[in-house]
Amino acid sequence: MPYQNILIENKERIQYIIINRETKLNALNEATLAELRFAFELAFGNPDVGGIIITGAGKKAFVAGADIAEFSGVDVPGSITIARLGHGIFNMIENGGKPVIAAINGFALGGGLELAMACHIRLAADTAKMGLPEVTLGLIPGYGGTQRLARLVGKGKALEMIMTADMINAFEAFEYGLVNHVESHENLLPRAEEILNKILSRAPLAIASAITAINAGQNGIDGFETEIENFSKCFQTEDLQEGISAFLQKRKPIFKGK
Ligand code: COA
């Protein structure tokens, strides 16, 4: 698929997915969502890609939301299609089995914050602003935001953010637990790479199992049972033998993802 709205860059085992609609503050229109789905499917299936960093083009916005212009004239069945499309893509990102870091380089609003919340780790530039302002339009978040925000920051703060539609700055987002780190604009991507490279030095199948187990409990599946199953799955891997041998031999492990 030739991309019109996103850019792909590869840096060793890291793949950058950059949302590239700068004049519209990287708002997610239908075409961009379709490209994102395609790009993530390819990245998850590509053995050369260890993990993904998603960010927005330019300095102003990560993603300023779903494309509001596309909402006018949408009927009720159309609205369900829109919400299900977003849910499908963001669930795929969350459960894809490879680490995904959101580098929030500016506004992350509405669907933009929902996209960032579907990623496994969020880093924010110190200039970033975040919020779910859908009620200002007469809407509620429709790409998983009511659920993921409440899980990340707690029900009370989520209700306040969603009902007031207020934006919070990067430092407030850090205090809320919405982002893991706040960096200067210059350090945002280097820090994201540093964290992702550390994750990529660990056993990839164990990382995938950890993602599955952590997500399970939050998605209505028995998380403790899933942990037991995934713990035992690790015992079927060559990487576990390598990890144990390397520890006992006081050397660094060489994981193969097998
Ligand atoms: N959907 C469609 N277009 C959007 C957009 C969105 N979510 N967010 C920004 N844009 C467009 C603007 O319409 C404008 O386009 P134009 O130059 O063709 O008129 C361009 O991006 C620049 O935005 P602008 O509003 O002029 O920038 P600003 O610095 O004055 O304000 C924001 C920045 C983020 C505060 C403001 O753009 C905004 O409130 N965006 C909507 C946020 C939102 O409600 N998101 C949830 C959607 S469900």
Side-chain angles (χ1 to χ4, degrees):
M1 177 190 253
Y3 299 118
Q4 309 292 328
N5 302 288
I6 64 173
L7 301 170
I8 306 291
E9 288 174 16
N10 294 302
K11 194 167 178 187
E12 295 171 1
R13 300 194 60 230
I14 295 177
Q15 180 164 98
Y16 275 96
I17 298 181
I18 303 161
I19 298 160
N20 188 32
R21 293 185 79 215
E22 210 178 327
T23 57
K24 296 289 176 192
L25 303 188
N26 303 322
L28 297 175
N29 60 2
E30 210 184 320
T32 308
L33 282 171
E35 290 181 20
L36 275 180
R37 176 164 59 190
F38 193 77
F40 271 99
E41 279 171 357
L42 279 187
F44 288 144
N46 181 348
D48 295 334
V49 175
I52 296 134
I53 297 174
I54 182 160
T55 193
K59 280 197 163 181
K60 191 166 169 181
F62 173 72
V63 169
D67 193 315
I68 298 167
E70 288 189 347
F71 285 167
S72 74
V74 170
D75 58 10
V76 171
S79 67
I80 293 173
T81 304
I82 289 172
R84 290 209 186 282
L85 176 74
H87 274 256
I89 298 169
F90 293 2
N91 287 344
M92 189 250 289
I93 293 172
E94 189 172 49
N95 297 302
K98 288 184 183 176
V100 183
I101 296 184
I104 303 172
N105 55 310
F107 287 114
L109 302 174
L113 184 56
E114 291 174 296
L115 169 60
M117 290 193 295
C119 300
H120 303 118
I121 294 176
R122 283 155 295 286
L123 272 63
D126 53 11
T127 51
K129 293 227 164 89
M130 283 153 262
L132 293 180
E134 284 85 349
V135 295
T136 63
L137 301 167
L139 267 178
I140 65 166
Y143 293 166
T146 59
Q147 305 308 297
R148 291 196 177 97
L149 186 64
R151 286 170 190 164
L152 282 165
V153 307
K155 184 177 166 185
K157 289 194 178 85
L159 277 164
E160 184 176 339
M161 280 180 69
I162 290 172
M163 292 196 298
T164 63
D166 281 346
M167 291 184 210
I168 58 173
N169 66 37
F171 298 99
E172 290 169 310
F174 175 74
E175 275 174 31
Y176 280 25
L178 184 53
V179 301
N180 296 27
H181 305 279
V182 179
E183 297 292 333
S184 66
H185 214 282
E186 298 67 46
N187 280 341
L188 182 67
L189 298 182
R191 182 86 163 106
E193 285 182 16
E194 187 192 327
I195 293 170
L196 190 47
N197 276 323
K198 184 174 278 186
I199 296 170
L200 297 183
S201 73
R202 312 308 187 198
L205 296 175
I207 298 293
S209 286
I211 291 172
T212 303
I214 292 166
N215 285 347
Q218 301 196 324
N219 290 329
I221 302 164
D222 184 335
F224 288 105
E225 264 313 307
T226 307
E227 180 181 289
I228 292 167
E229 281 164 24
N230 279 273
F231 178 79
S232 83
K233 265 191 201 163
C234 294
F235 280 81
Q236 300 164 24
T237 66
E238 288 176 25
D239 281 349
L240 176 64
Q241 302 314 318
E242 167 64 8
I244 294 169
S245 305
F247 177 80
L248 295 176
Q249 293 161 13
K250 300 191 187 304
R251 62 173 175 83
K252 277 196 171 180
I254 302 166
F255 294 120
K256 294 182 181 150
K258 289 186 184 165

